[in-house]
């Protein structure tokens, strides 16, 4: 009766109603978020969105992105993602939380260079613990990794390209003093929800989907202001 596709595009369907889930449309907001594929993505996604009977998005900000793509708001419904009960606070509530954590692919829209500069400001005054990055290299990751290697506080940064298991990911969330996630744009921001489920505070960009997810529980910062990010971390 219904064909539900959970990606930007779907096969031709003629015999039933179609539902499309659009997790993220960063390429509609800023072409630099997806590089050379942007124009092709825009054409393909617009074509399939128009064909869908209903489009689902995970946050209110992503609903705005759908409108930028030319979709009728009456056709779009906000259905937030959930979080697995696997993510939970640590059994030992007195266990030390002695590092900051960022969980996301290393690519331009994740805002890593500004996070690093903000942390360097904090470390200069000894106002922040060490930083663990959990994220695989994405497109245009090289400039940030080169900058990371040149940091005067390189010894305070640990980069893990991937977690060996879900257990390890949960351990990292549970041991963090805070999740630092001032991404420039997200469709949802699942690491924010997973961190909060583990009892870990979050620093998120004001006006973004992660801020919508965190609600009143998030520390809001200006994603393009290094001083603001530093203040949020402090």
């Amino acid at each position: 009766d219904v064909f539900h596709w959970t990606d930007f595009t779907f096969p031709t369907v003629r015999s039933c109603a179609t539902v499309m889930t659009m997790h993220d449309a960063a390429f509609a907001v800023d072409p630099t978020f997806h590089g050379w594929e942007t124009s092709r993505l825009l054409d393909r996604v617009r074509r399939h969105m128009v064909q869908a009977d209903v489009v689902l998005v995970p946050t209110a900000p992503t609903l705005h992105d759908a409108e930028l793509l030319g979709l009728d708001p009456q056709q779009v419904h906000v259905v937030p993602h959930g979080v697995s009960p696997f993510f939970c606070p640590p059994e030992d509530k007195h266990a030390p939380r002695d590092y900051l954590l960022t969980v996301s692919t290393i690519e331009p829209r994740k805002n890593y260079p500004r996070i690093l500069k903000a942390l360097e400001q904090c470390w200069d005054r000894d106002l922040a613990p060490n930083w663990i990055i959990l994220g695989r290299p994405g497109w245009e990751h090289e400039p940030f990794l080169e900058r990371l290697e040149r940091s005067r506080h390189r010894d305070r940064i640990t980069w893990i390209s991937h977690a060996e298991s879900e257990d390890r990911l949960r351990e990292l969330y549970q041991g963090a003093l805070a999740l630092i996630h001032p991404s420039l744009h997200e469709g949802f921001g699942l690491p924010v929800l997973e961190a909060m489920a583990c009892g870990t505070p979050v620093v998120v960009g004001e006006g973004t989907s992660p801020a919508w997810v965190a609600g009143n529980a998030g520390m809001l910062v200006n994603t393009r202001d290094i001083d603001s990010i530093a203040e949020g971390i402090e």
Side-chain angles (χ1 to χ4, degrees):
D1 296 324
V2 176
F3 182 85
H4 181 195
W5 194 252
T6 57
D7 202 349
F8 288 119
T9 60
F10 52 86
T12 300
V13 179
R14 297 187 178 90
S15 59
C16 63
T18 55
V19 178
M20 172 184 175
T21 292
M22 187 180 76
H23 300 283
D24 177 12
F27 51 86
V29 178
D30 187 332
T32 64
F33 289 156
H34 278 269
W36 63 270
E37 293 185 335
T38 298
S39 59
R40 190 167 65 185
L41 270 173
L42 278 170
D43 291 342
R44 190 170 58 185
V45 173
R46 280 186 176 129
R47 185 169 65 252
H48 285 87
M49 287 178 71
V50 170
Q51 293 173 359
D53 294 294
V54 171
V55 175
L56 306 181
V57 295
T59 68
T62 307
L63 172 59
H64 174 68
D65 295 349
E67 294 176 13
L68 287 178
L69 286 167
L71 207 63
D72 181 354
Q74 299 300 317
Q75 187 184 352
V76 189
H77 301 270
V78 177
V79 181
H81 297 320
V83 62
S84 168
F86 174 80
F87 295 98
C88 58
E91 292 183 8
D92 181 2
K93 296 183 179 180
H94 301 290
R97 289 176 175 260
D98 53 5
Y99 56 85
L100 301 174
L101 177 68
T102 298
V103 178
S104 63
T105 302
I106 299 175
E107 60 181 56
R109 68 180 169 125
K110 302 300 183 176
N111 214 18
Y112 275 106
R114 290 189 182 91
I115 300 173
L116 176 56
K117 290 179 181 178
L119 279 168
E120 286 173 336
Q121 289 185 13
C122 295
W123 289 327
D124 285 344
R125 293 174 286 159
D126 200 24
L127 293 176
N130 292 350
W131 184 29
I132 295 178
I133 299 169
L134 174 60
R136 62 180 179 81
W139 77 282
E140 288 196 7
H141 65 276
E142 295 91 349
F144 169 71
L145 293 183
E146 291 170 3
R147 172 66 178 81
L148 184 153
E149 291 301 327
R150 297 196 309 270
S151 173
R152 59 187 178 277
H153 295 287
R154 179 63 183 88
D155 60 335
R156 305 199 64 166
I157 306 165
T158 300
W159 173 38
I160 305 171
S161 61
H162 67 281
E164 315 87 67
S165 64
E166 288 286 293
D167 288 329
R168 178 57 176 151
L169 175 60
R170 182 174 62 181
E171 288 173 2
L172 287 168
Y173 281 131
Q174 291 175 338
L177 184 63
L179 179 80
I180 312 303
H181 197 80
S183 177
L184 297 174
H185 190 279
E186 296 286 344
F188 185 73
L190 191 58
V192 170
L193 200 55
E194 292 173 344
M196 292 173 67
C198 292
T200 301
V202 296
V203 176
V204 292
E206 56 191 8
T208 64
S209 288
W212 187 90
V213 171
N216 294 331
M219 171 63 72
L220 302 182
V221 300
N222 182 335
T223 59
R224 298 184 183 274
D225 186 326
I226 294 167
D227 291 339
S228 176
I229 298 171
E231 289 172 8
I233 291 169
E234 290 174 25

